[in-house]
Amino acid sequence: MQTPAPVDYARATSVEHALELLERLGPESRLIAGGHSLLPMMRIRLAQPECVIDINDLTDLDYVRVEGGELCIGAMTRHAGVLDSPVVGEHYTIFHDAERLIADPPVRNRGTVGGSFCQADPAEDLAAVGSAVKASVVLRSSQGTRTVPAREFHAGPYETVLGDAEMLTELRVPIRPGATSAYTKVKRKSGDWATAAAGAYVVLRDGVVADVGIGLTALGAPHFCAEEAEAYLVGKEPTEEHLAETGRLAAQACNPRADQRGPVEYKLHLAGELTQRVLRQSVARAEGRA
Amino acid sequence: MTSTQHTAPSTTSPAGNPIGFGRMLRKEDARFLRGQGHYLDDLVVPGMLHAAILRSPVAHARIVSIDTSQAEAHPKVRAVITGATLESLNLAWMPTLSADVQAVLATDKVRFQGQEVAMVVAEDKYSARDALELIDVEYDDLPPVVDARKALDPDAPVIRDDVEGRTDNHIFDWEAGDKARADEVFAAADVVVTQEMLYPRVHPAPMETCGTIASMDRVTGRLTVWSTNQAPHAHRTIYALVAGIPEHNIQIISPDIGGGFGNKVGIYPGYVLAVVGSILTGKPVKWVEDRGENLMSTSFARDYHMKGEIAATRDGRILGVRVDVLADHGAFNGTAQPTKFPAGFFHIFTGSYDLEAAYCKVTGVYTNKAPGGVAYACSFRITEAVYLVERMVDLLADELGVDPAELRLKNLLRPEQFPYVSKTGWEYDSGDYPRALKKAMEIAGYDELRREQREKRERGELMGIGISFFTEGVGAGPRKHMDILGLGMADGCELRLHPTGKAQLRLSVQTQGQGHETTFAQIVSHELGIPPEDIDVIHGDTSNTPFGLGTYGSRSTPVSGAAAAVAAQLVRDKARVITAAALECSPDDLEWEQGRWYVKGDPSQGKTIAEVSMLAHGTLELPEGVEGHLDASVVYDPPNLTYPFGAYICVVDVDPGTGQVTVRRFIAVDDCGPRVNPMIVEGQVHGGLADGVGMALMQVIAFDEDGNCVGGSFMDYLLPTSMECPSWETGETVTPSPHHPLGLKGIGESATVGSPPAVVNAVIDALEPYGVRHADMPLTPANVWMAMQGRPMRTDLAVQ
Amino acid sequence: MQVTMTVNGNEVSADVEPRLLLVHFVRDHLGLTGTHWGCDTSQCGTCVLWLDGRPVKSCTVLAVMADGHEVRTVEGLEVDGRLDPVQQGFMEEHGLQCGFCTPGMMMTARWLLDHQPDPDEATIREAISGQLCRCTGYENIVRAVRWAARHPAEPTTAQDTSQEVQA
């Protein structure tokens, strides 16, 4: 099996300590949480950090709670923890739908919400979920704390707005009374990255879509979302015709690459198809039919 | 002497095992369950060093220079080997199993991405890997041949310019059948259906990769090699021939193997390099490949571009099949099959039907890809043959508008036609085909499924039912016809009874999970009537097992199983003579019951095998010409292959919006003759069925236009998990082989051979409302959806 | 770097490079070769063992990250010479052939049964969905876990011993 290049190791005992280590060790140091993005890259030597800063001891960042009208998920919460959390399930089924389809069970025991967000893989499911529900992320540095909308956090493939000595500590999702949500993913087999995936939430009022969020992954949609499609659907009834047009607009926001998962034509089709499906399912959940 | 009450012996042993055939828990499990298996990478030989191989990042290039100075300066590196080093030892090239040569380390050019360029031997594996980064190779890129269909174009780059006088990429042409007769039959037929289809390049990918530990003892001149190796004796002979080391000074040991599937048959450059490394350093050298190396450089499987034609009467009688094949062999011709068969047993493509005419032509070509082709439970290309004919039969059914089950029942060989000589010269030993298909249909509830399909189609739902009927040809083979590198495919077997009646069976086959330690004990138990727990099966070490060609092509039960049965019968016969001597009667006065010879009419007078063995090792006076002890040694030359067969039915549901395929059910009825251990046989079938799901829906080693391998890791070479596989439904019929001592036919590859066409036929059937005639494997969601749009994808090349 | 961890109830210490993968530490430094490896991309799952009571892919953990933590491997399933019901089930139902994926499968199965004593087939298939098998087609693995669910053993306590490992 492949083996990593030589590397130094430090273990953080607190967020402050982690930030201090990041600052001191410089941009060639990397935080390691679950390690299931970083270590595979280190093994094939695509990544060769000088030092890894282990933050697995920061168990006080492993939590799910409701605070100030928001669902708050600590950055060190493992994927398995999100999947197992009844609090998450109570408010946003989209997280559970997605987590069930992310990687596989042993990987979910290690991978973290913060790690996935910061990896910014263009096929990252949680990124689409975060964009769909219009979450925000809390970033900390020695300079202080700032909150950034999830839709602004990702700047491009594997690129975020995180500064060199800055750390993501929390994901916050506004709790919307009456909101229902869903996530769906096409993949070639269990454990594969998405060929395409979509997530959405809706809030219905008097049979009309009062609020909606759409997230897309593996489709090259900037910031993992489709704002024009959302804007179109607000104020309309979720009829098949309206959902179809929403899907069409969502596909327009996408710019997928052809690869072994499929040609561009197919992925664009999926963008529209899956957008319709998650909206349809969210509506069905709102109407108690699913 | 008074006759005492005699009770028949129990058919169950003291340990609760069947004496002979039956469901028995495996002996080998004891160590594996405790994590005490001894796989290659578990082995530690004192003083051993670790090797790593530097491989070409490009598909086709001249090597301008190799600078190893920095690697050699690494404090933990003991040796660095390049093609130049090997050239001085005349070992830069080695013979392949197909009369070609393969580079051990590249000298002039690299010819596929992943080809071996240099080797480092270091004190530990992390340092060996570090040192690879210190080797500097300068390449001069050359245009690669990636599309096999263009390999014979007049302007195609010549890959094998290492061979003098070579001006193209053509390897061989081979044909079988009767072209003239086939042309006649096709010309006169009512209906002819033609279809091009690809059996994509795939890879066996056992969970354990290949590896070796080579230890050359400078004092004794003795080479000891531990390796992941399905054919230890063949390897020993080849090392002797190639490296010039006297064969009696070579010992090859196969430890526990974590899956073979044909991946561990051939000799890879890494094995030879480890031997060289050991010679140079004077220490044992361990080399274990990583998964990327395994997928990119070890023997791939299939890669047959086929054009099939089927001719029939208007009322559905199949008259003939013709096939034209373009075989992509990669950069070196290293296919492993009997010498006289460059296309393996592909000419069994006439399948399970009675045809009037058949003809095939196979053209082999070089491309800038890894060598290989025969592997992954193919039974020497029978996977390709069965896929071709079963797809053609379904296409014919579609053309004629008839049910594919009905079409098969109409055309399957009938029991009274056996032994059946096919139009391409195979003599099928026995079979009752219609019975197997009907049984599968019954288990599946075929009529009900078709009813459900009609209802679903009215609602726009896509459901498919696919059938595959296959005839296998395994147990190679008769030595006058079948050899590998001149070594005839007969296998030896030695059975020795100890004085206390326990037995040791030494075999040349090599298990990689098939359960030989149990199955072969049961075969001897069946013949000798002694408990299987009293029989120790020994294999894997050339120093203490008889010569034979190893395990692949499902040959263990048909060949070594026969050898074991014959040896046991010889022991039993000798036991009769010794019993007669002990009881002072004639051997003709004796009768046999499980484990014991006794006097006819006086059952209390007899000797058990254990008693006989003690007598045979003792002082009893033996008749003239009868030697002491109770052993037998046999070389079994099979008179023919055996022909297991089966009927498979697959049910799929396809999501029309995404193209995703769900395999809802899979029914497999297999006939491998009597089953020594039904539990083990069923397990073999289960594993092969998963291969069908994988190959039909997700597995492919594809290449982009630069010759980069898109399939060099499990991220791209996708293997099915527990989620993609349904709960298999299996059944059996039993048609013994007339020529095998116990009627056994072998089962190891049947399910891998028979299942892919069932899945593909099911998916194409599901897509019937969209007018899809054919789409190539793998039927990924993208490929299915594109087929629905009328544009199925080409799958051997990377998606553009 | 010095690392100390509990492995199958025993405390072990060793001096290792930070880049050493946990799977290599367990196999090469501790000689516990029951945990295997089979890929380069954290996909095959033959390296699955328990870290702090949860199945993880040990090829994707650095040994230094396990410092101060608890590891359990297949060698720890058997207690006082008695096979765990999961091990017994794999034997009874022919849940293994070559045995290479088996330790990882059994560790996941043991964890599943500890948390869901009576899982249905779909639950079992999902639990092992991150681990590949090339031999069994998964059917008998599912049957093996069901066997173990139907034949749970009496709980026992394992004894703790400390040992220093010179690495």
Side-chain angles (χ1 to χ4, degrees), chain B residues 66 131 366:
Chain B
I66 306 182
Y366 289 119

Side-chain angles (χ1 to χ4, degrees), chain A residues 1 36 43 104 106-107 189, chain B residues 207 291 714, chain C residues 23 34-49 55-60 100-108 127-133 138:
Chain A
M1 168 170 58
H36 278 54
R43 280 197 312 252
D104 58 59
V107 172
K189 60 163 264 196
Chain B
M207 287 329 300
R291 180 56 66 182
F714 286 160
Chain C
V23 63
T35 304
H36 302 135
W37 60 265
C39 75
D40 307 328
T41 46
S42 306
Q43 272 153 322
C44 76
T46 59
C47 65
V48 165
L49 45 62
V56 303
K57 293 177 171 173
S58 62
C59 70
T60 321
F100 204 74
C101 77
T102 308
M105 291 288 186
M106 293 193 301
M107 294 308 286
T108 293
I128 61 171
S129 62
Q131 296 165 250
L132 298 173
C133 173
Y138 304 102

Side-chain angles (χ1 to χ4, degrees), chain A residues 87-186:
Chain A
V87 175
V88 170
E90 187 190 326
H91 297 287
Y92 282 102
T93 327
I94 184 176
F95 276 95
H96 281 185
D97 286 354
E99 286 291 3
R100 219 168 265 121
L101 301 169
I102 287 176
D104 58 59
V107 172
R108 293 198 294 261
N109 282 336
R110 291 296 286 169
T112 61
V113 170
S116 293
F117 252 82
C118 294
Q119 177 66 10
D121 193 300
E124 174 55 53
D125 293 297
L126 277 195
V129 172
S131 280
V133 299
K134 300 168 192 160
S136 53
V137 290
V138 177
L139 311 177
R140 266 178 75 176
S141 71
S142 59
Q143 263 71 67
T145 303
R146 57 180 178 133
T147 304
V148 173
R151 293 186 178 194
E152 287 166 32
F153 179 71
H154 295 114
Y158 308 103
E159 246 187 86
T160 70
V161 303
L162 258 186
D164 275 343
E166 195 172 27
M167 198 173 137
L168 188 156
T169 56
E170 188 180 53
L171 180 76
R172 305 177 74 96
V173 187
I175 290 175
R176 302 169 174 99
T180 50
S181 58
Y183 193 84
T184 191
K185 178 171 173 178
V186 170

Side-chain angles (χ1 to χ4, degrees), chain B residues 385 431 555 662 719:
Chain B
R555 66 191 298 274
T662 304
L719 297 175

Side-chain angles (χ1 to χ4, degrees), chain B residues 276-612:
Chain B
V276 172
S278 182
I279 292 172
L280 290 178
T281 61
K283 294 264 180 240
V285 172
K286 179 191 246 188
W287 171 73
V288 185
E289 60 174 5
D290 61 39
R291 180 56 66 182
E293 297 179 277
N294 176 253
L295 292 173
M296 286 173 58
S297 77
T298 67
S299 178
F300 73 91
R302 322 280 192 274
D303 219 345
Y304 259 28
H305 301 244
M306 307 183 279
K307 179 173 141 198
E309 297 175 284
I310 190 165
T313 64
R314 176 73 42 207
D315 65 344
R317 192 161 60 82
I318 303 174
L319 301 171
V321 176
R322 279 196 300 222
V323 197
D324 208 302
V325 180
L326 179 70
D328 184 336
H329 279 234
F332 306 106
N333 186 12
T335 49
Q337 72 270 305
T339 306
K340 300 187 183 103
F341 303 87
F345 298 166
F346 180 75
H347 54 303
I348 205 169
F349 67 88
T350 56
S352 312
Y353 311 100
D354 187 15
L355 306 183
E356 289 186 16
Y359 172 74
C360 77
K361 175 164 169 270
V362 181
T363 301
V365 297
Y366 289 119
T367 59
N368 286 111
K369 303 172 189 170
V374 170
Y376 198 6
C378 67
S379 299
F380 303 122
R381 302 280 189 191
I382 299 187
T383 37
E384 291 88 317
V386 165
Y387 180 69
L388 183 287
V389 69
E390 289 305 293
R391 280 294 302 130
M392 295 311 301
V393 169
D394 251 42
L395 283 156
L396 177 64
D398 188 47
E399 176 73 19
L400 295 174
V402 302
D403 179 280
E406 286 309 310
L407 183 61
R408 285 177 171 84
L409 284 170
K410 191 178 181 117
N411 287 280
L412 285 173
L413 291 165
R414 295 176 314 279
E416 58 270 19
Q417 289 179 282
F418 288 82
Y420 171 77
V421 179
S422 77
K423 287 296 180 291
T424 52
W426 296 102
E427 186 178 315
Y428 298 4
D429 58 3
S430 64
D432 186 344
Y433 292 176
R435 182 159 70 106
L437 180 52
K438 286 178 184 160
K439 182 149 195 178
M441 291 167 72
E442 190 191 306
I443 297 173
Y446 188 78
D447 293 338
E448 181 49 46
L449 287 171
R450 285 292 178 199
R451 201 163 21 244
E452 184 195 347
Q453 183 182 49
R454 280 192 294 276
E455 286 163 22
K456 284 203 145 93
R457 277 185 178 161
E458 275 159 34
R459 294 196 300 271
E461 290 170 33
L462 303 180
M463 170 188 165
I465 304 158
I467 300 174
S468 166
F469 196 102
F470 67 93
T471 297
E472 265 270 60
V474 301
R479 52 194 287 237
K480 67 173 186 273
H481 297 308
M482 297 189 178
D483 68 275
I484 294 198
L485 271 193
L487 299 170
M489 295 183 81
D491 276 27
C493 166
E494 289 162 9
L495 177 59
R496 184 181 310 176
L497 271 285
H498 296 320
T500 54
K502 310 294 191 230
Q504 276 190 320
L505 180 74
R506 293 170 192 277
L507 295 168
S508 54
V509 287
Q510 175 56 50
T511 196
Q512 318 115 45
Q514 296 93 322
H516 290 176
E517 290 166 41
T518 305
T519 303
F520 285 96
Q522 289 183 258
I523 288 175
V524 173
S525 173
H526 175 81
E527 291 298 305
L528 288 186
I530 62 177
E533 61 264 26
D534 288 353
I535 302 160
D536 191 20
V537 176
I538 296 167
H539 63 326
D541 183 339
T542 56
S543 286
N544 60 19
T545 52
F547 188 89
L549 270 284
T551 294
Y552 43 84
S554 307
R555 66 191 298 274
S556 297
T557 297
V559 184
S560 275
V566 171
Q569 286 163 8
L570 288 173
V571 163
R572 194 176 70 214
D573 291 344
K574 183 166 177 184
R576 182 183 208 163
V577 170
I578 294 174
T579 302
L583 297 180
E584 293 174 336
C585 64
S586 159
D588 293 330
D589 296 333
L590 297 172
E591 260 184 42
W592 170 260
E593 69 179 351
Q594 177 190 283
R596 186 172 178 264
W597 286 107
Y598 65 94
V599 176
K600 288 180 202 176
D602 190 6
S604 67
Q605 293 297 305
K607 294 291 177 198
T608 65
I609 288 289
E611 287 165 340
V612 170

Side-chain angles (χ1 to χ4, degrees), chain B residues 681-796:
Chain B
V681 171
E682 190 191 55
Q684 293 294 294
V685 172
H686 287 174
L689 297 180
D691 284 332
V693 169
M695 281 188 279
L697 301 182
M698 64 188 75
Q699 287 169 228
V700 63
I701 306 252
F703 291 80
D704 71 15
E705 57 194 0
D706 296 324
N708 293 311
C709 175
V710 185
S713 81
F714 286 160
M715 271 183 58
D716 290 304
Y717 187 63
L718 307 177
L719 297 175
T721 71
S722 51
M723 302 299 282
E724 288 76 45
C725 296
S727 187
W728 315 109
E729 299 165 63
T730 59
E732 68 176 278
T733 61
V734 180
T735 314
S737 168
H739 67 76
H740 185 284
L742 298 177
L744 311 174
K745 289 193 174 184
I747 188 67
E749 296 162 306
S750 284
T752 309
V753 167
S755 58
V759 183
V760 175
N761 284 345
V763 175
I764 302 298
D765 184 51
L767 301 183
E768 200 247 22
Y770 286 80
V772 176
R773 270 173 53 96
H774 181 74
D776 280 330
M777 300 186 278
L779 296 167
T780 59
N783 197 5
V784 169
W785 189 84
M786 291 298 287
M788 289 163 61
Q789 316 313 308
R791 294 186 302 281
M793 288 162 46
R794 181 168 170 184
T795 53
D796 57 324

Side-chain angles (χ1 to χ4, degrees), chain B residues 46 49 52 55 69 102 124 129 133 169 220 251 384 406 414 514 520 559 619 643-644 651 668 690 734 745:
Chain B
L49 302 173
R55 295 175 180 274
S69 54
Q102 172 177 0
D124 65 86
R129 173 85 171 77
E133 311 265 309
N169 297 311
T220 62
Q251 180 182 12
E384 291 88 317
E406 286 309 310
R414 295 176 314 279
Q514 296 93 322
F520 285 96
V559 184
T619 54
Y643 297 80
V651 182
V734 180
K745 289 193 174 184

Side-chain angles (χ1 to χ4, degrees), chain C residues 48-99:
Chain C
V48 165
L49 45 62
W50 285 13
L51 181 60
D52 294 335
R54 287 207 162 235
V56 303
K57 293 177 171 173
S58 62
C59 70
T60 321
V61 181
L62 297 173
V64 291
M65 293 169 77
D67 178 38
H69 291 267
E70 208 183 300
V71 172
R72 287 213 159 254
T73 70
V74 62
E75 288 88 347
L77 274 180
E78 184 186 0
V79 177
D80 294 329
R82 279 206 328 279
L83 291 180
D84 185 280
V86 163
Q87 292 170 301
Q88 191 67 35
F90 270 72
M91 181 153 68
E92 296 283 342
E93 295 292 346
H94 191 34
L96 66 148
Q97 291 181 28
C98 81

